[in-house]
Amino acid sequence: MDLKRFKNEILPLRNKLLSYARKLTTDPDDAEDAVQETMLKLWSRRDELDSCRNPEAFAVTVTHNVCMDTWRTRHGNAQSAEQLQLADSADTPYARLEARDRIELVERIINSLPPLQRTIMRMKDMEEYETEEIAQITGCSPEAIRSNLSRARKKVRDTYLRLTEERRTT
């Protein structure tokens, strides 16, 4: 991808990426930094963008990853809000440990999903995007989004149940 094409196809996505980054970060400056880093990464990988089926979806994914990396760097080993909530609601240290293990297992299962299903599931269930918004970002039809989301949820559920049953029997 040459400079002219990059300017015409990728740079106009900046406002959309910034809006997305603001949803993922609490600080507008962090969102701006994430989008700037995304643009640098996209520019350095511009040759790959030529063969990319949907450069916009790729740009959103890069933005998501940059925001998550920033969050992980700042928070280190800090627990997520969901983990803290489960830990607070648990009565014993054993129950808190089990809750943390369940969350980590679900996170590992989600991370093992195919990239499109993983992205769609995160956007829909964690970031609360509407199906139509996800379709626009990924370039898939709303029906494909619903189908992929259904398959992803089923796989997470089935894998979770299988793994927890295996743990009980061992």
Side-chain angles (χ1 to χ4, degrees):
M1 179 175 284
D2 63 1
L3 178 61
K4 183 178 179 181
R5 189 165 166 219
F6 188 87
K7 284 181 178 180
N8 290 335
E9 293 180 23
I10 303 300
L11 288 182
L13 300 175
R14 188 180 187 297
N15 288 336
K16 188 172 201 169
L17 298 176
L18 187 58
S19 175
Y20 180 63
R22 285 183 179 142
K23 290 180 181 180
L24 297 177
T25 62
T26 56
D27 183 6
D29 292 333
D30 286 345
E32 183 68 40
D33 291 344
V35 171
Q36 286 177 356
E37 186 173 341
T38 297
M39 288 299 177
L40 288 172
K41 286 184 180 209
L42 292 172
W43 176 251
S44 69
R45 297 175 73 178
R46 66 188 173 275
D47 294 336
E48 294 174 47
L49 290 174
D50 283 330
S51 61
C52 187
R53 195 181 94 207
N54 188 340
E56 182 177 341
F58 183 70
V60 170
T61 300
V62 171
T63 303
H64 178 85
N65 292 338
V66 168
C67 289
M68 293 300 107
D69 289 345
T70 301
W71 186 87
R72 284 185 199 107
T73 301
R74 291 222 173 114
H75 294 91
N77 291 329
Q79 293 179 322
S80 70
E82 186 176 1
Q83 289 172 319
L84 291 171
Q85 182 180 2
L86 284 172
D88 287 345
S89 65
D91 295 327
T92 66
Y94 178 75
R96 286 192 297 270
L97 180 62
E98 280 205 353
R100 188 182 70 211
D101 285 347
R102 284 192 306 270
I103 290 169
E104 288 174 1
L105 177 60
V106 170
E107 288 174 352
R108 282 197 315 270
I109 295 168
I110 291 171
N111 288 334
S112 73
L113 291 171
L116 181 61
Q117 288 182 3
R118 181 177 56 234
T119 299
I120 290 170
M121 187 171 196
R122 285 185 175 149
M123 291 177 81
K124 182 70 173 171
D125 294 337
M126 296 172 190
E127 297 157 19
E128 300 177 352
Y129 274 84
E130 295 298 325
T131 302
E132 289 72 24
E133 291 175 305
I134 299 170
Q136 284 181 329
I137 292 168
T138 61
C140 296
S141 69
E143 295 78 23
I145 299 299
R146 286 189 280 278
S147 176
N148 275 294
L149 184 60
S150 176
R151 277 188 246 130
R153 287 174 175 163
K154 182 179 182 337
K155 181 166 183 166
V156 169
R157 181 181 58 247
D158 292 349
T159 305
Y160 178 82
L161 292 173
R162 180 179 50 80
L163 291 174
T164 54
E165 183 61 30
E166 287 174 5
R167 285 183 177 179
R168 282 189 210 129
T169 60
T170 56

